Amino acid sequence: MKTCAMPAKGYAKPHTGGFTATREFGFDLAEKFPELDLSDVDTDGAAVVVHVQNPRALHLHKLARFLTSAAKGGVRTAVLHVPSRGLMTALPIFNLFLAVDASAELKDMMRLERAMRTGG
């Protein structure tokens, strides 16, 4: 497994939705994640780092709810880290919320289609 510049486990807030999240200062992102391209994000305010341990166990509705509450708290930037897929990216929190919301809707539609096909 790849190592990442994540804070110690005591600082990460565990969620039952298959992810952990930490709140960071935006100006610290360049130092903590030097490999990230931060040109498209606001590094003046607060940021959250979302670490997804197992993408298959990710509860999309809980992640969307977390992102909504973080945005209400003034967070503008999100760093998404999925080590099993080799993904680490920084993006505006609203863009991440839209992607998570679209994925949750697609997952619900696929579940409904499967139920209609099987008659259950």
Side-chain angles (χ1 to χ4, degrees):
M1 185 172 174
K2 295 178 184 176
T3 59
C4 65
M6 292 295 296
K9 286 187 179 184
Y11 295 104
K13 181 180 179 188
H15 292 272
T16 58
F19 64 96
T20 57
T22 57
R23 195 176 195 115
E24 303 285 340
F25 291 111
F27 56 82
D28 281 344
L29 292 177
E31 182 180 318
K32 290 186 180 189
F33 307 105
E35 66 276 5
L36 282 180
D37 177 23
L38 299 172
S39 60
D40 295 336
V41 295
D42 180 15
T43 57
D44 291 336
V48 291
V49 178
V50 179
H51 179 76
V52 179
Q53 295 85 5
N54 181 4
R56 294 189 61 118
L58 182 62
H59 194 286
L60 295 170
H61 293 287
K62 287 185 181 184
L63 180 56
R65 198 173 0 191
F66 169 77
L67 293 172
T68 302
S69 66
K72 286 180 184 176
V75 175
R76 296 181 184 167
T77 303
V79 175
L80 181 65
H81 182 236
V82 186
S84 64
R85 311 277 182 185
L87 174 69
M88 180 177 270
T89 186
L91 62 162
I93 197 165
F94 184 68
N95 292 359
L96 180 58
F97 170 76
L98 290 177
V100 168
D101 189 48
S103 296
E105 186 175 331
L106 178 63
K107 185 177 178 181
D108 290 343
M109 292 297 124
M110 290 176 67
R111 187 178 296 131
L112 179 62
E113 179 184 347
R114 186 173 55 244
M116 289 173 58
R117 264 189 280 132
T118 60

